[in-house]
Amino acid sequence: MVSVTCPTTPFDGQKPGTSGLRKAVKVFEQPRYLENFVQSIFDCVDGLAGATLVIGGDGRYHNRTAVQTILRMAAANGIGRAVVGRGGILSTPAASCVIRKRGAVGGVILSASHNPGGPDGDFGIKFNAANGGPAPESMTDAFFARSKVIAEYRTVEAADLDLDTLGETALGGMAVEVIDPVADYAALMESLFDMAAIRGLFASGFRMVFDAMHAVTGPYATEILERRLGAPAGTVINGTPLEDFGGHHPDPNLAHAEELVERLFGPDAPDFGAASDGDGDRNMILGRNVFVSPSDSLAVLAANATHVPAFKGGLAGVARSMPTSRAVDRVAAALGISCYETPTGWKFFGTLLDAGRINLCGEESFGTGADHVREKDGLWAVLMWLNVLAARGLSVAELMAEHWGTYGRTYYGRHDYEAIPQEAADALIAELRGKLPGLAGTDLGGRTVAAADEFAYTDPVDGSRSDRQGLRVGFEDGSRIVYRLSGTGTSGATLRVYFERYEPVGGEHGLDAPVALKPLADLAAELAGIERHTGRTKPDVAT
């Protein structure tokens, strides 16, 4: 088997966003494009020689081709063992689990998460470090710097490997081990939750629907929910992973999980509904005629954590991304534990988790997780909800009413304006940034501005600093508006606008969230001049 060094030249724009490098499939299909970025990773990661590397992805179009390319390059770069999910598949949280269990130097995860798939869709790649979490900014900055000067990459000349048969083969001097992508993850879940209590819940006649959205969690949910926990066959819908996600958008929200929402808000609705996204790290939680916002989900799980075996000793601390509502802050205050506010991006939770400062965290973009891995974890969140419901003997609606009655209700919403021309998005943010210093003490829409700033974060563990992480406008009544450009899109810019309104204990808790938030949403659009800058009169997605 021949190892070869291939000349190359840099591509513009190989800068990882909040979750790796994401581009249209057609961009990744260009000769040398994937190779350049993979070699940039290998050139910057220490300790590769003889090490174990985990490789897998969400099964979207181009996944199998990319896995074969990365395997050949790994062999040429001195990796000792490559651990690959069967079929090239590993959910993102399962990849984190395997990295940690195997003591790997890290893992290459192939996914564009909740972005559309198929030949005309998106593709993505990211590196997770030895702790199982997304590479920190210091590493991704190094990858980008290397990609701008790269002149060659290394590979071996070899035929494609069989990725569908469990077992071990050799590729040059590297062992390639194809593993069951579900087994290690399912075993980890069984160690965290009261599986007997959840089995009893299903045996009592409790009904749920889990929508895998034709994405990676189908096999995981079928194995755990139906086979191990006894949920009836058919509990998992859209459970077969497809390269194009069945032509749908694999984003678990009210706009894209239409079939699930119809069932939970329709006649003879089940007790519980949930969905996960393309790579399995996001979740949406529903009860009968109830949508649980991700911010509320994090708060409810924090308040009920001790009902779950993994947290029976209590929580060390919690963390949330800055745009996530402050509902969990109130729970943390009541529990007497720390609550950290971080930038958006799961990597910012990693140092806090590794240092033992927190063991539960979440972000408003349908992500929740804990210290069992270093990624957000959609199916884990579903199992934690099931464990809490089994322990408490309450419906989702009853649990939410109890929570709001104890802590007050934070109405929360997000508007996404997608594929905005980058220049227009940058101009909007620059203009709004210029307004912030003069807003404190002024009246906007009948509310007095308490503070307005641009969020910056200094990591309390490693001292690293991240600037320009979102614009915040807070009001004296506890309401808040946040503006942020997302780093997960592949076309133009996505403007995310978040708003929250707090109703204290004894306040008005029964409103529909869009009705409660409309004045803030209107104010947010007016303050930023969204229509003037973008021509948009309404968001593409409202959640």
Side-chain angles (χ1 to χ4, degrees), residues 14-174:
Q14 288 194 325
K15 182 175 177 60
T18 54
S19 294
L21 181 66
R22 295 182 185 175
K23 301 287 183 181
V25 168
K26 288 179 171 54
V27 173
F28 272 97
E29 287 181 323
Q30 297 175 93
R32 302 180 291 103
Y33 190 88
L34 176 66
E35 289 87 343
N36 276 21
F37 191 71
V38 171
Q39 189 64 57
S40 296
I41 292 173
F42 289 163
D43 286 347
C44 296
V45 175
D46 294 329
L48 286 182
T52 296
L53 181 73
V54 174
I55 303 171
D58 61 14
R60 67 177 57 228
Y61 183 85
H62 199 56
N63 190 86
R64 280 180 173 267
T65 299
V67 168
Q68 298 284 359
T69 296
I70 295 165
L71 284 170
R72 285 191 282 265
M73 292 185 66
N77 279 272
I79 297 292
R81 174 176 294 269
V83 179
V84 189
R86 181 173 51 210
I89 283 183
L90 276 172
S91 76
T92 291
S96 182
C97 167
V98 174
I99 290 168
R100 293 168 65 81
K101 181 175 181 179
R102 294 300 191 100
V105 70
V108 179
I109 300 177
L110 302 169
S111 174
S113 188
H114 55 291
N115 293 11
D120 297 317
D122 296 331
F123 193 74
I125 177 172
K126 69 174 183 174
F127 182 79
N128 277 34
N131 73 341
E137 285 188 323
S138 59
M139 292 185 75
T140 57
D141 287 346
F143 301 161
F144 180 47
R146 181 61 181 159
S147 76
K148 293 189 290 186
V149 297
I150 191 168
E152 61 185 29
Y153 66 88
R154 293 181 289 281
T155 189
V156 296
E157 294 180 346
D160 284 354
L161 296 179
D162 176 8
L163 299 179
D164 297 307
T165 302
L166 300 182
E168 186 172 313
T169 56
L171 182 61
M174 182 179 76

Side-chain angles (χ1 to χ4, degrees), residues 101-423:
K101 181 175 181 179
R102 294 300 191 100
V105 70
V108 179
I109 300 177
L110 302 169
S111 174
S113 188
H114 55 291
N115 293 11
D120 297 317
D122 296 331
F123 193 74
I125 177 172
K126 69 174 183 174
F127 182 79
N128 277 34
N131 73 341
E137 285 188 323
S138 59
M139 292 185 75
T140 57
D141 287 346
F143 301 161
F144 180 47
R146 181 61 181 159
S147 76
K148 293 189 290 186
V149 297
I150 191 168
E152 61 185 29
Y153 66 88
R154 293 181 289 281
T155 189
V156 296
E157 294 180 346
D160 284 354
L161 296 179
D162 176 8
L163 299 179
D164 297 307
T165 302
L166 300 182
E168 186 172 313
T169 56
L171 182 61
M174 182 179 76
V176 179
E177 182 182 357
V178 178
I179 64 169
D180 179 341
V182 177
D184 288 338
Y185 177 85
L188 178 60
M189 293 303 104
E190 289 199 325
S191 75
L192 300 173
F193 299 108
D194 186 344
M195 304 299 267
I198 302 174
R199 287 188 200 99
L201 184 67
F202 284 120
S204 73
F206 180 90
R207 295 184 299 142
M208 77 168 286
V209 176
F210 180 90
D211 189 351
M213 305 189 84
H214 286 304
V216 77
T217 53
Y220 293 84
T222 300
E223 172 64 26
I224 296 172
L225 295 175
E226 296 186 5
R227 297 188 186 126
R228 301 195 183 198
L229 290 172
T235 294
V236 178
I237 62 172
N238 302 318
T240 303
L242 300 175
E243 287 191 336
D244 65 349
F245 307 117
H248 299 296
H249 202 309
D251 196 353
N253 60 42
L254 295 172
H256 296 304
E258 296 177 5
E259 181 180 357
L260 178 67
V261 173
E262 287 177 4
R263 290 201 188 192
L264 270 295
F265 285 83
D268 193 33
D271 301 285
F272 186 69
S276 192
D277 69 329
D279 66 335
D281 61 0
R282 299 185 179 210
N283 72 91
M284 179 171 67
I285 302 297
L286 300 166
R288 185 181 293 126
N289 297 310
V290 178
F291 165 66
V292 181
S293 79
S295 296
D296 269 350
S297 180
L298 175 62
V300 168
L301 294 182
N304 290 276
T306 54
H307 294 286
V308 175
F311 303 119
K312 62 183 178 181
L315 296 173
V318 296
R320 61 167 175 83
S321 63
M322 183 274 286
T324 302
S325 93
R326 290 165 292 183
V328 75
D329 301 43
R330 298 180 178 94
V331 175
L335 295 175
I337 60 175
S338 297
C339 180
Y340 297 87
E341 182 180 45
T342 73
T344 297
W346 208 260
K347 57 193 172 187
F348 292 103
F349 295 135
T351 56
L352 297 169
L353 289 163
D354 288 345
R357 295 198 181 195
I358 64 170
N359 47 5
L360 183 67
C361 47
E363 57 186 22
E364 57 72 35
S365 57
F366 295 83
T368 325
D371 54 0
H372 63 292
V373 291
R374 293 297 181 268
E375 286 280 3
K376 51 184 175 281
D377 190 345
L379 191 51
W380 168 91
V382 173
L383 292 169
M384 185 150 176
W385 264 92
L386 289 171
N387 198 152
V388 168
L389 292 174
R392 296 298 314 280
L394 299 174
S395 69
V396 174
E398 290 167 340
L399 189 61
M400 295 310 304
E402 177 194 81
H403 186 86
W404 296 332
T406 303
Y407 300 100
R409 180 176 183 182
T410 303
Y411 289 99
Y412 187 79
R414 186 181 95 186
H415 285 180
D416 293 356
Y417 298 84
E418 298 175 339
I420 299 171
Q422 190 68 51
E423 288 185 3

Side-chain angles (χ1 to χ4, degrees), residues 454-471:
E454 185 162 21
F455 181 56
Y457 178 69
T458 300
D459 190 296
V461 178
D462 66 15
S464 61
R465 183 171 174 83
S466 300
D467 294 309
R468 295 200 166 188
Q469 295 296 317
L471 309 180

